[in-house]
Amino acid sequence: MFKNLFPRRGVVDVDSETRAEVDPETCQRDTDADWEEIGRANPYFGVLADPRFKTENLNEKARAEFFRTGEDDVRGLMERFRLRHSDFAPASALDFGCGVGRVTRALAAVTGDAFGVDIAESMLAEARRTPVVGAEFGREMPDRLFDWVLSVIVFQHIPPERGYSLLRELMKRLAPGGFVTLQFALYRDPALAAAPGGRVLMSEGLPVIANDAALKALPKGEMVMFDYDLTVIAAILFSEGVVDFELGHTDHGGFHGATIYGRKAAA
């Protein structure tokens, strides 16, 4: 199913009536293979780039600290939603790009029903190593609806030519009245113009940049940042009924983006 969700060439469906052509030459990186390798060699550091979480440094104390960051993040997201939605009380959650389950475990604790999806079997194997009540993991998205759909620090590592189609599939799993938390990279500082995977450079005129040669030259197992078009993201969300959302700025070392906090219209 995931291979179908990540088309490598052809068109992107923006809504039921709009299809956008994509250039297959702009999507030359097999990021699935990258993440399988990262999950095999450095699964915790691949999720949070802190030296404490490198495989050679990882111990039970560091592992506990790693999962506490997921609890803190989920608590902060819930507090933000409750400022605008007093009825925020999700009973299920879908965590896309779950990795080793940092956020999924925390979601299971607060909802009692959390499903983590990841493309890398190596990541999923680690996530399943310590079973958690209310949490399940898999490579395929369940064919069901969820009250809360999340994907944070994930899309920025997926080429947008594949990511837009994936976003539509995620939104089809969102229940009426449900909530979304989605983070995307949107542009980068000029100093990062040569970084592989770039799309938009922050300067006068916001030029699109291409560095496919550098992208293809990277060895397997590298994390790459990809910039998305917020206009396309908004069009997809609107077409799926998520018409009420706000943005929060993110900055990962000069790679700027936004976290979207949204809600789907009730049926």
Side-chain angles (χ1 to χ4, degrees), residues 94-117:
L94 175 61
D95 178 19
F96 178 75
C98 65
V100 297
R102 184 183 75 95
V103 171
T104 316
R105 291 162 62 109
L107 291 170
V110 299
T111 68
D113 177 13
F115 196 98
V117 181

Side-chain angles (χ1 to χ4, degrees), residues 79-148:
E79 290 173 355
R80 178 153 185 164
F81 270 123
R82 284 172 176 155
L83 290 175
R84 294 191 63 204
H85 305 282
S86 60
D87 61 338
F88 177 78
S92 60
L94 175 61
D95 178 19
F96 178 75
C98 65
V100 297
R102 184 183 75 95
V103 171
T104 316
R105 291 162 62 109
L107 291 170
V110 299
T111 68
D113 177 13
F115 196 98
V117 181
D118 204 278
I119 192 61
E121 285 288 1
S122 53
M123 287 285 194
L124 294 174
E126 183 64 25
R128 295 184 182 114
R129 188 163 69 89
T130 306
V132 176
V133 174
E136 294 184 68
F137 299 93
R139 294 184 80 237
E140 297 186 4
M141 288 189 287
D143 187 17
R144 53 167 289 202
L145 300 179
F146 292 85
D147 296 336
W148 192 6

Side-chain angles (χ1 to χ4, degrees), residues 6-78:
F6 289 94
R8 296 184 182 278
R9 61 183 63 235
V11 297
V12 170
D13 292 321
V14 175
D15 55 36
S16 60
E17 298 179 351
T18 305
R19 310 187 84 196
E21 295 288 338
V22 297
D23 181 357
E25 294 305 313
T26 65
C27 188
Q28 294 287 336
R29 185 75 183 176
D30 185 357
T31 54
D32 297 354
D34 287 331
W35 284 100
E36 188 62 47
E37 176 62 20
I38 291 167
R40 185 195 63 77
N42 244 324
Y44 291 82
F45 183 77
V47 176
L48 286 183
D50 185 311
R52 293 176 298 166
F53 306 137
K54 286 188 174 182
T55 298
E56 61 267 29
N57 300 331
L58 198 66
N59 53 36
E60 286 307 309
K61 178 182 178 182
R63 191 167 177 270
E65 291 173 350
F66 175 89
F67 285 113
R68 273 197 294 272
T69 68
E71 297 168 5
D72 292 342
D73 286 354
V74 168
R75 187 180 304 112
L77 293 172
M78 294 180 71

